[in-house]
Amino acid sequence: QVQLQESGPGLVKPSQTLALTCSVSGGSITQGSYGWSWLRQPPGKGLEWMGAIAYDGSTYYSPSLKSPISISRDTSKNQISLRLSSVTPEDTAVYYCASRTFSSDSDYFSGDYEYDFWGQGTQVTVSS
């Protein structure tokens, strides 16, 4: 069974960079057809897809994000990382990593949240 575990600081100051890591066990992040997404849910709002990295290292980012985003991976550690720069209080949310198979590049932008595997989520608050 694939398990995902998010980690990172719970408090980030405005204008700083938010950095989170998703550690994957029970499966490889290079397994064919699988993509590894970062999603978030601000308080009182719905789930938002932020971006993803595919099994081959290709990256996909939501065009609606206001803060610059970067998703990368460390295959030796089987980890996915998220960096969100110049954060504001609007970036306060529970952040999740999740994984499913994707059929095409456009599938990453489909809004399909039926993921096979989810992390438990980590709360990040942006405040001075």
Side-chain angles (χ1 to χ4, degrees):
Q1 179 72 359
V2 177
Q3 294 185 323
L4 290 73
Q5 176 73 54
E6 303 92 345
S7 60
L11 180 64
V12 181
K13 293 183 178 180
S15 81
Q16 292 188 340
T17 295
L18 183 164
L20 297 176
T21 297
C22 175
S23 297
V24 180
S25 60
S28 173
I29 61 174
T30 62
Q31 183 175 350
S33 300
Y34 272 85
W36 306 83
S37 290
W38 284 99
L39 306 98
R40 66 181 179 182
Q41 186 165 23
K45 297 184 179 180
L47 202 59
E48 175 187 26
W49 179 78
M50 303 177 68
I53 188 164
Y55 70 97
D56 62 357
S58 300
T59 52
Y60 307 86
Y61 300 116
S62 170
S64 64
L65 285 177
K66 297 178 181 178
S67 299
I69 181 176
S70 175
I71 297 175
S72 60
R73 66 180 185 173
D74 186 331
T75 56
S76 67
K77 296 181 179 178
N78 217 35
Q79 292 178 335
I80 305 296
S81 295
L82 168 72
R83 292 179 63 86
L84 194 64
S85 304
S86 305
V87 295
T88 72
E90 290 184 343
D91 294 308
T92 294
V94 178
Y95 285 76
Y96 299 91
C97 59
S99 180
R100 65 174 176 89
T101 57
F102 291 84
S103 59
S104 64
D105 290 348
S106 61
D107 193 14
Y108 284 89
F109 303 93
S110 67
D112 180 357
Y113 293 162
E114 294 295 322
Y115 285 84
D116 297 324
F117 309 107
W118 287 85
Q120 85 283 0
T122 185
Q123 172 69 48
V124 178
T125 300
V126 179
S127 175
S128 56

